[in-house]
Amino acid sequence: MIIVNSAMQQDNIKQLLEGLAGDATFTFKEKKGIQLVFETTAEDKEQAVKTAKDAIKNTDWGRVLYFNVVSQ
């Protein structure tokens, strides 16, 4: 499970992560305030965090977005 903390662009983050194609998939589970909780199929949770961060940073809106991603 990973958690994305972001006050803005939450709908875009959900769409982006759920649409990623690759070794790991992300499924949105719930929203807790500014936290977006995702289940992931990745074995390595730290790699899942890196994948999510990189995907967000590689968008036009993600380059200027204040956010962080943590594993749980």
Side-chain angles (χ1 to χ4, degrees), residues 27-41:
T27 306
F28 177 72
K29 288 299 176 189
E30 64 181 312
K31 180 180 182 297
K32 297 177 182 177
I34 67 168
Q35 295 183 334
L36 301 174
V37 180
F38 291 88
E39 288 288 336
T40 181
T41 59

Side-chain angles (χ1 to χ4, degrees), residues 1-2 10 16-17 20-21 24 26 32 36 48 50 53 55-59 61-62 64 68 72:
M1 180 180 312
I2 66 164
Q10 291 184 340
L16 175 69
L17 294 184
L20 284 179
F26 298 92
K32 297 177 182 177
L36 301 174
K50 183 177 178 346
K53 280 183 185 178
I56 294 169
K57 287 180 185 178
N58 286 328
T59 65
W61 47 266
V64 295
N68 76 336
Q72 184 176 15

Side-chain angles (χ1 to χ4, degrees), residues 3 5 17 23 27 33 36 49-51 59 67 69:
I3 298 173
N5 295 298
L17 294 184
D23 295 336
T27 306
L36 301 174
V49 166
K50 183 177 178 346
T51 299
T59 65
F67 73 97
V69 183

